[in-house]
């Protein structure tokens, strides 16, 4: 490093110029760079593009952020009308959290519990209150990471296919949590 301190501004300028000349020469001599905006040229003898047959693709419906926010707010409003302090989570079809709202005065555990209830509901396309009953026959279900088998989660479906889950946690009973989650789901069909 000591020898770099002795380089003059004139030397630095000369080195920079040499680098630019080498770069320009490389481009003229056939060096190619790739960019996301232009497709790579196809190798000779191979197809550059091939359409996937329509029967091999599926179309899915995902709940957008505006709808998720509307559903979450409706669930929170329903809880507040009954003086309940809850958290609400809305997840997409893949179980990814889209929106969470933590109501004033809700317990610290309610935030994570709401997200897990929403995830559980969309994963099995059933209200979590029904899934609790399934634990009697299959108790190992509760060991699946990210799930919570307590009432308060409901799926949102389009033509029978789950597209989202809404979870509510923090009310004194799972029945109330589920009632508020259903209010959120109803806001999407109004």
């Amino acid at each position: 490093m000591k020898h770099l301190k002795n380089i003059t501004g004139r030397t630095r300028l000369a080195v920079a110029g040499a680098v630019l000349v080498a770069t320009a020469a490389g481009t003229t001599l056939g060096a190619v760079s790739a960019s996301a905006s232009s497709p790579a040229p196809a190798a000779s003898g191979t197809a550059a593009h091939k359409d996937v047959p329509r029967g091999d693709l599926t179309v899915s419906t995902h709940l957008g952020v505006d709808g998720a926010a509307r559903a979450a707010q409706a669930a929170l409003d329903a809880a507040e009308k009954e003086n309940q302090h809850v958290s609400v989570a809305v997840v997409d079809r893949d179980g990814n959290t889209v929106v969470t709202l933590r109501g004033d005065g809700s317990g610290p555990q309610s935030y994570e519990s709401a997200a897990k209830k929403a995830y559980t509901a969309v994963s099995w396309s059933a209200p979590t209150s029904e899934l609790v009953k399934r634990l009697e026959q299959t108790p190992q279900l509760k060991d699946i990471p990210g799930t919570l088998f307590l009432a308060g989660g409901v799926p949102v479906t389009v033509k029978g296919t789950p597209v989202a889950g809404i979870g509510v946690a923090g009310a004194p009973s799972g029945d109330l949590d589920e009632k508020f989650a259903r209010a959120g789901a109803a806001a999407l069909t109004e």
Side-chain angles (χ1 to χ4, degrees):
M1 290 298 237
K2 186 176 185 181
H3 64 280
L4 292 178
K5 291 181 183 177
N6 296 331
I7 295 178
T8 66
R10 185 181 231 173
T11 305
R12 288 185 194 143
L13 185 58
V15 169
V19 169
L20 287 173
V21 169
T23 303
T27 303
T28 343
L29 295 174
V32 178
S33 70
S35 106
S37 62
S38 62
S44 62
T46 63
H49 176 281
K50 184 176 179 181
D51 286 335
V52 175
R54 272 205 151 188
D56 291 342
L57 300 176
T58 60
V59 177
S60 66
T61 304
H62 278 32
L63 182 62
V65 71
D66 291 340
R70 188 171 65 252
Q73 189 62 56
L76 188 60
D77 290 346
E80 287 175 349
K81 284 180 186 173
E82 296 191 28
N83 295 317
Q84 297 301 315
H85 307 286
V86 301
S87 289
V88 180
V90 180
V91 301
D92 67 12
R93 171 62 188 113
D94 300 322
N96 300 308
T97 303
V98 180
V99 172
T100 53
L101 296 175
R102 179 179 284 168
D104 294 338
S106 63
Q109 80 291 351
S110 66
Y111 188 80
E112 184 177 346
S113 297
K116 286 183 176 183
K117 289 179 182 184
Y119 176 84
T120 305
V122 77
S123 295
W124 278 275
S125 190
T128 52
S129 59
E130 289 179 22
L131 296 172
V132 170
K133 298 171 189 168
R134 294 185 194 177
L135 286 178
E136 294 172 9
Q137 284 78 37
T138 320
Q140 62 273 27
L141 283 177
K142 69 179 178 345
D143 298 330
I144 297 173
T147 60
L148 185 59
F149 291 87
L150 296 174
V154 297
V156 176
T157 59
V158 173
K159 296 180 183 177
T161 302
V163 295
I166 302 174
V168 176
S173 75
D175 292 339
L176 280 174
D177 285 339
E178 189 166 312
K179 176 182 177 182
F180 306 141
R182 288 186 186 283
L188 295 171
T189 59
E190 295 175 343

